[in-house]
Amino acid sequence: MIINLDEIDSTNEYLKRMSKDGWNSDETLIVTAQYQTSGKGRRGRSWVTQPGTTLMFSVMMKPKLTLNDCSMLTLVMALAVRRALCDMDIETKIKWPNDLVLNKKKICGILTEAIAETGQIIIGVGINTNQDSMPDDLKDSATSILMETDDCVDHDSLLDNIIYHFEKLTESVYEAGDLSPVREEYEESLVSMNSKVTVLDPNGEYDGICKGIDDKGQLIVEHDDKETKVYAGEVSVRGIYGYV
Ligand code: BTN
């Protein structure tokens, strides 16, 4: 089921309220908004956009995975968005775990939240589509599809195609119980694959070479002649181009 809203605080928050009010069905629920008054980004940041210029939606579902493994679906959503943009001849890369970049600038962010009590997860997606400029503080690190291609994006058909790919990818991940069926595709899309990255670990920053992901979606970083697995919840990773 899809609910289309003009204005809301945050599509993720809206779905959390739906869950609290008892929506606990196995059916996937999708909510879109033209404008969010308190859009949320990762790491407690806000996600601010102009009305109608961004495709914003959240998906609430009950994954056939343990709550621990649900973070894999964030990577799956990144791949689904990438595939849908690819179908429009827009070649994006993934900045692990789930930002999409176009010409080395961010065009899509994903915020996944789990509801432990019900086993539901909410995957919120924001795609910079039709902005004709970026605010000064973002213009070095973010861009939009319009700015890069001169083409306006039809939000409804892009959303339909993302959901189509997400459902197909999710099926294969459920069947395997991990990301093994999509790992190669994900690694081919990684912006930092085989390049130097800086891991911003709260216990100490270090440099290494990105070697891909494991079957659970942890980033494999080679440093000091050994491979370390980086879990997305704990650290962020910066590549050689600043933002990417
Ligand atoms: C990030 O890159 O920091 C994640 C951004 C996620 C933004 C989307 S927009 C739809 C959904 N609702 C929110 O409040 N946030 C996500």
Side-chain angles (χ1 to χ4, degrees):
M1 182 164 105
I2 300 195
I3 301 172
N4 295 304
L5 303 170
D6 281 337
E7 184 178 311
I8 194 70
D9 51 353
S10 147
T11 51
N12 275 32
E13 290 303 313
Y14 179 89
L15 285 175
K16 270 192 227 168
R17 290 191 291 271
M18 294 275 292
S19 168
K20 232 183 191 158
D21 292 347
W23 178 281
N24 195 12
S25 116
D26 285 334
E27 190 192 348
T28 297
L29 183 58
I30 300 165
V31 59
T32 72
Q34 293 292 319
Y35 181 60
Q36 296 185 132
T37 52
S38 304
K40 302 191 313 171
R42 290 180 67 213
R43 300 176 191 283
R45 289 190 279 251
S46 54
W47 175 269
V48 182
T49 58
Q50 296 306 308
T53 60
T54 312
L55 173 56
M56 293 178 291
F57 65 94
S58 299
V59 176
M60 183 158 72
M61 60 198 289
K62 252 195 197 170
K64 296 180 193 149
L65 294 166
T66 64
L67 214 52
N68 246 355
D69 282 346
C70 282
S71 58
M72 293 193 292
L73 294 180
T74 311
L75 282 74
V76 170
M77 181 59 88
L79 264 187
V81 177
R82 184 180 183 278
R83 277 189 182 184
L85 293 174
C86 224
D87 291 341
M88 298 163 61
D89 292 328
I90 300 168
E91 268 299 322
T92 56
K93 290 275 182 187
I94 297 174
K95 177 179 182 279
W96 179 87
N98 50 20
D99 280 357
L100 255 64
V101 299
L102 181 56
N103 299 334
K104 300 187 183 129
K105 293 183 179 178
K106 176 163 169 168
I107 60 146
C108 169
I110 301 176
L111 172 68
T112 299
E113 300 183 89
I115 306 174
E117 300 81 19
T118 59
Q120 290 164 302
I121 63 160
I122 296 168
I123 306 177
V125 181
I127 306 172
N128 296 334
T129 50
N130 297 331
Q131 294 97 325
D132 55 13
S133 63
M134 284 286 146
D136 279 351
D137 57 327
L138 291 179
K139 66 173 188 249
D140 290 338
S141 60
T143 188
S144 74
I145 293 172
L146 176 64
M147 287 165 68
E148 298 299 317
T149 66
D150 280 337
D151 288 330
C152 257
V153 176
D154 179 76
H155 285 177
D156 290 343
S157 56
L158 177 57
L159 176 61
D160 278 356
N161 203 21
I162 292 170
I163 297 303
Y164 165 77
H165 285 299
F166 181 69
E167 284 174 351
K168 273 189 85 166
L169 287 160
T170 305
E171 253 171 50
S172 62
V173 168
Y174 284 167
E175 214 168 285
D178 60 31
L179 293 173
S180 51
V182 302
R183 186 172 162 184
E184 197 177 320
E185 181 182 345
Y186 187 92
E187 288 180 335
E188 279 168 8
S189 316
L190 261 183
V191 72
S192 294
M193 188 68 186
N194 291 319
S195 313
K196 194 180 142 195
V197 288
T198 301
V199 179
L200 306 173
D201 189 316
N203 299 318
E205 196 174 304
Y206 60 89
D207 290 339
I209 303 292
C210 166
K211 289 292 175 189
I213 56 165
D214 70 5
D215 285 343
K216 297 285 183 184
Q218 297 185 96
L219 193 74
I220 303 169
V221 177
E222 188 182 272
H223 74 118
D224 291 343
D225 294 327
K226 61 177 185 344
E227 284 189 346
T228 303
K229 288 187 178 175
V230 179
Y231 177 66
E234 295 159 3
V235 297
S236 59
V237 171
R238 203 171 50 205
I240 45 173
Y241 301 112
Y243 161 65
V244 293

